[in-house]
């Protein structure tokens, strides 16, 4: 029996539709497989690139800087010395800054309010901060009775810090207790007030005794050399002529022994007080 012509046409159309469907499905399947096979390789390359780039970037950031642990209160790693100078500003401040600049060294200054009020000294106070030094407070009067017996420590430090801010625009938090936190801050009530005021107190690891060596400046150097035994040292000095005279030799001593010169930073404070009070 012969199939009619309309039936033949209908069968051809159905076969054509099926063939087109198969072709489209094959194309879609190929596209899907290609995208699936490419995705992992892209991710792998990106990850590998990230692993290769990260260490290089990190090493550039920390280059030539003391290594600091990622904790709020941590000493720098390696050999670091902090040169600190009390009782300024003075007629010698500019000369101290000149020597420090000549040797590419930063330092930490603790200045008295009564001296900060002297307008003749204020330009060098500004210059100190501009050149990367830290200026902290050393009270207004340096008077033991007023500070400790009368309990005016925090008030005087706040006044001194305010003066530093007015002159330099900085907002320091670090102070040094005249005559040291021992015996000055033996009164726990005063230490509580300091902590509540969010101040920090630094003493020292080496006392140069420069204040009593006016006629024997090279003994200052010997005192510092004999006292140096730790990786992190904080040297107490004053803005005195005998100290200025031997400062280049002190700097050379530490450079020869592989020390880097640190400058205080409020953001990476580490406690350094004779009471071992971790709040300060």
């Amino acid at each position: 029996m012969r199939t009619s012509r309309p039936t033949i046409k209908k069968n051809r159309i159905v076969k054509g539709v099926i063939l087109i469907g198969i072709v489209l499905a094959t194309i879609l399947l190929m596209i899907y497989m290609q995208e699936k096979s490419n995705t992992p390789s892209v991710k792998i390359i990106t990850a590998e690139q990230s692993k290769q780039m990260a260490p290089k970037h990190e090493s550039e950031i920390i280059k030539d800087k003391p290594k600091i642990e990622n904790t709020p209160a941590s000493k720098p790693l390696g050999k670091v010395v902090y040169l600190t100078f009390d009782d300024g500003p003075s007629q010698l401040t500019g000369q101290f800054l000149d020597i420090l600049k000549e040797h590419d060294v930063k330092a930490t200054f603790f200045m008295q309010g009564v001296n900060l009020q002297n307008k003749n000294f204020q330009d060098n106070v500004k210059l100190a901060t501009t050149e990367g030094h830290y200026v902290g407070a050393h009270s207004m009067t340096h008077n033991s009775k007023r500070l400790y017996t009368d309990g005016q420590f925090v008030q005087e430090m706040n006044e001194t810090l305010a003066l530093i801010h007015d002159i330099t625009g900085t907002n320091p938090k670090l102070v040094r207790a005249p005559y040291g936190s021992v015996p000055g801050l033996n009164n726990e009530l005063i230490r509580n007030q300091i902590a509540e005021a969010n101040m920090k107190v630094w003493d020292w690891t080496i006392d140069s005794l420069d204040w009593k060596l006016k006629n024997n400046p090279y003994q200052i150097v010997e005192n510092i050399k004999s006292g140096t035994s730790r990786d992190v040292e904080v040297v107490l000095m004053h803005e005195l002529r005998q100290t200025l005279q031997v400062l280049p030799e002190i700097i050379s001593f530490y450079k020869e022994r592989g020390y880097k010169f640190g400058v205080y930073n409020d953001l990476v404070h580490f406690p350094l007080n004779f009471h071992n009070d971790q709040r300060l």
Side-chain angles (χ1 to χ4, degrees), residues 184-196:
L185 301 179
N186 287 349
N187 186 337
E188 188 175 0
L189 175 61
I190 298 180
R191 297 205 305 275
N192 291 341
Q193 293 172 348
I194 295 168
E196 290 171 4

Side-chain angles (χ1 to χ4, degrees), residues 219-230:
Q219 185 59 46
I220 299 171
V221 181
E222 293 305 313
N223 291 344
I224 291 173
K225 287 181 177 181
S226 62
T228 300
S229 60
R230 293 158 288 262

Side-chain angles (χ1 to χ4, degrees), residues 79-259:
K79 299 174 72 173
V80 182
V81 60
Y82 294 82
L83 303 182
T84 69
F85 302 95
D86 287 8
D87 294 347
S90 68
Q91 292 179 343
L92 300 175
T93 302
Q95 295 179 60
F96 274 93
L97 294 177
D98 288 343
I99 292 176
L100 292 169
K101 185 175 183 179
E102 179 183 349
H103 293 272
D104 193 24
V105 169
K106 307 303 179 187
T108 302
F109 291 83
F110 293 98
M111 296 187 170
Q112 292 183 37
V114 66
N115 296 331
L116 287 162
Q117 290 173 328
N118 188 329
K119 294 186 181 300
N120 292 328
F121 297 156
Q122 291 181 358
D123 284 345
N124 279 329
V125 178
K126 294 177 186 177
L127 183 61
T129 57
T130 300
E131 293 186 345
H133 307 288
Y134 185 96
V135 176
H138 198 43
S139 81
M140 291 293 296
T141 64
H142 210 279
N143 184 294
S144 179
K145 180 180 182 299
R146 178 173 169 79
L147 291 167
Y148 306 121
T149 306
D150 298 343
Q152 298 299 304
F153 184 92
V154 170
Q155 178 181 329
E156 283 209 13
M157 291 300 182
N158 273 329
E159 291 177 23
T160 309
L161 292 170
L163 277 170
I164 294 170
H165 172 72
D166 290 344
I167 295 168
T168 68
T170 61
N171 292 289
K173 298 295 182 183
L174 187 67
V175 306
R176 173 168 280 166
Y179 314 107
S181 67
V182 173
L185 301 179
N186 287 349
N187 186 337
E188 188 175 0
L189 175 61
I190 298 180
R191 297 205 305 275
N192 291 341
Q193 293 172 348
I194 295 168
E196 290 171 4
N198 196 30
M199 292 178 189
K200 303 300 181 183
V201 176
W202 253 20
D203 286 308
W204 52 86
T205 63
I206 298 173
D207 187 347
S208 70
L209 300 175
D210 57 349
W211 57 273
K212 63 177 183 180
L213 294 169
K214 180 178 180 180
N215 298 318
N216 190 11
Y218 289 99
Q219 185 59 46
I220 299 171
V221 181
E222 293 305 313
N223 291 344
I224 291 173
K225 287 181 177 181
S226 62
T228 300
S229 60
R230 293 158 288 262
D231 282 347
V232 178
E233 299 283 15
V234 176
V235 183
L236 168 62
M237 294 176 282
H238 299 79
E239 290 193 29
L240 298 169
R241 195 163 298 281
Q242 60 265 31
T243 308
L244 183 68
Q245 181 180 343
V246 296
L247 182 56
E249 187 171 342
I250 294 168
I251 293 171
S252 296
F253 166 75
Y254 281 111
K255 284 186 175 182
E256 289 168 2
R257 278 150 187 78
Y259 280 84

Side-chain angles (χ1 to χ4, degrees), residues 1-16:
M1 182 177 180
R2 184 176 295 180
T3 305
S4 64
R5 204 172 281 274
T7 302
I8 294 172
K9 287 183 178 180
K10 184 177 180 180
N11 289 341
R12 288 178 179 174
I13 292 170
V14 171
K15 289 179 180 180

